[in-house]
Amino acid sequence: MSVALKISNSSKFQVSEFILLGFPGIHSWQHWLSLPLALLYLSAIGANILILITIFQDSTLQQPMYYFLGILSVVDMGLATTITPKILAIFWFNAKVISLSECFAQIYAIHCFVGMESGIFLCMAFDRYVAICHPLRYPSIVTSALIMKITLFMVLRNGLFVIPVPVLAAQRDYCSRNEIDHCLCSNLGVTSLACDDRRPNSICQLVLAWVGMGSDLSLIILSYSFILRCVLRLSSTEAASKALSTCSSHLILILFFYTVVVVISVTHLAETKATLVPVLLNVLHNIIPPALNPMVYALRTKELRAGFRKVFYLGLEKK
């Protein structure tokens, strides 16, 4: 396999592109994974588009909780599209080469979308807190204007917050190796190829992750502690059960999302050699949530299922 190199002014070799080898240890048969990955990607795109169409067409779903769900669908599609087409190109067309600029752009996009997903989960937790703990004030607090401001803040926060990650990665000196034992450009996977000290990159990523997503998770836990305290004070068991059921879908997704984030962070802290399990976990963390989120909400939200039926019936009537 050819290694593209260019000579710098200091007479050292500098790589001009990276080569994504795929899943470590299973290079000879990893193409068989392309089918489940393609199905996951198509289901993620299809399900999230259906969510958006349903919310847009069903007036009963045009309320804050479903607006946040629609925003989450857009973020999920962006996250899945950031990595899946390139992975499938590697498996199907052996398109393993990726330029440095494309690689650093992918690092930025992954961190940005993951941070935005964490932020939207926080927004949804706040929405549930106000709806359950302050129901009479809910219409005056969670307004359309507030949703727009929160969404804009989350886009700006994560768009600007993660810029140091790819910038620091681009400043490293890649003077020899350019083969990445991964399916995507992860920050620490790329910077492990650098000839100079990569500790600033590792420290930067971990600090940003714990400050950004760590603060989101702390506020989510705080919101649900208030919700639980409020629910336990309800005299009616039926009312308490109904209040908790509105949060169940959100809690399932949060548990999966942050559990995998913690596992990946611990793996990076250990700085172990790339092995199949953490690499596969890293890839699936960017593909499974976009496919899982709509399914969980569709299965556990009666209003959304009713909205799906209206969309399907409307489509059949037009035919």
Side-chain angles (χ1 to χ4, degrees):
M1 188 178 295
S2 63
V3 178
L5 301 171
K6 64 182 180 181
I7 301 178
S8 66
N9 294 331
S10 60
S11 300
K12 290 183 179 180
F13 288 105
Q14 176 75 22
V15 302
S16 61
E17 59 191 25
F18 293 121
I19 299 171
L20 297 169
L21 299 179
F23 292 111
I26 59 169
H27 296 153
S28 59
W29 59 272
Q30 63 182 356
H31 59 278
W32 291 105
L33 295 175
S34 64
L35 181 58
L37 287 176
L39 290 175
L40 273 174
Y41 178 63
L42 291 175
S43 65
I45 297 299
N48 283 293
I49 288 176
L50 179 60
I51 289 275
L52 291 172
I53 292 173
T54 303
I55 293 173
F56 178 77
Q57 291 194 348
D58 191 342
S59 58
T60 61
L61 297 179
Q62 292 175 10
Q63 49 184 296
M65 183 175 75
Y66 297 106
Y67 287 150
F68 285 128
L69 181 57
I71 297 167
L72 181 63
S73 293
V74 173
V75 172
D76 280 341
M77 288 190 288
L79 179 60
T81 303
T82 296
I83 67 163
T84 312
K86 180 60 180 178
I87 295 175
L88 295 178
I90 293 171
F91 292 161
W92 291 343
F93 310 113
N94 204 35
K96 298 180 179 180
V97 175
I98 184 170
S99 68
L100 268 67
S101 58
E102 289 175 328
C103 193
F104 298 139
Q106 189 180 65
I107 290 174
Y108 171 78
I110 290 171
H111 283 78
C112 185
F113 282 122
V114 169
M116 287 178 64
E117 185 153 358
S118 175
I120 296 302
F121 281 144
L122 172 59
C123 294
M124 297 171 85
F126 171 74
D127 174 76
R128 292 299 84 201
Y129 161 72
V130 178
I132 294 173
C133 299
H134 304 282
L136 298 179
R137 297 175 58 196
Y138 180 81
S140 61
I141 295 176
V142 187
T143 62
S144 299
L146 179 66
I147 294 172
M148 290 181 63
K149 290 176 183 177
I150 290 176
T151 304
L152 181 60
F153 171 75
M154 287 299 168
V155 171
L156 291 176
R157 186 197 74 165
N158 295 290
L160 298 175
F161 200 57
V162 302
I163 287 177
V165 177
V167 169
L168 283 174
Q171 291 177 345
R172 299 275 68 81
D173 181 21
Y174 302 99
C175 62
S176 56
R177 297 179 299 149
N178 73 336
E179 293 184 338
I180 305 172
D181 225 4
H182 211 309
C183 297
L184 52 87
C185 288
S186 68
N187 177 46
L188 299 182
V190 170
T191 55
S192 66
L193 303 178
C195 300
D196 52 356
D197 187 11
R198 70 162 184 164
R199 280 179 296 180
N201 299 74
S202 303
I203 294 171
C204 175
Q205 173 161 331
L206 290 171
V207 168
L208 291 179
W210 288 109
V211 170
M213 285 187 285
S215 61
D216 289 346
L217 181 57
S218 299
L219 291 172
I220 288 171
I221 293 172
L222 183 63
S223 297
Y224 275 101
S225 65
F226 287 142
I227 290 172
L228 183 60
R229 187 180 67 176
C230 184
V231 168
L232 291 176
R233 290 177 177 176
L234 294 175
S235 56
S236 170
T237 305
E238 183 180 352
S241 176
K242 185 177 180 180
L244 288 175
S245 68
T246 63
C247 305
S248 59
S249 303
H250 188 219
L251 286 170
I252 291 170
L253 301 181
I254 287 173
L255 183 63
F256 178 82
F257 179 83
Y258 286 105
T259 299
V260 178
V261 167
V262 170
V263 171
I264 293 174
S265 298
V266 170
T267 302
H268 284 158
L269 274 173
E271 295 189 346
T272 55
K273 186 179 178 181
T275 55
L276 177 60
V277 173
V279 170
L280 183 62
L281 194 63
N282 199 342
V283 171
L284 293 179
H285 181 248
N286 296 320
I287 299 177
I288 289 181
L292 180 68
N293 294 350
M295 294 179 187
V296 170
Y297 271 97
L299 289 173
R300 302 189 64 85
T301 308
K302 181 175 65 175
E303 294 81 5
L304 198 56
R305 291 198 301 272
F308 288 155
R309 287 194 291 269
K310 289 181 183 178
V311 170
F312 285 130
Y313 291 152
L314 184 62
L316 291 173
E317 288 176 1
K318 288 183 178 179
K319 290 181 180 180

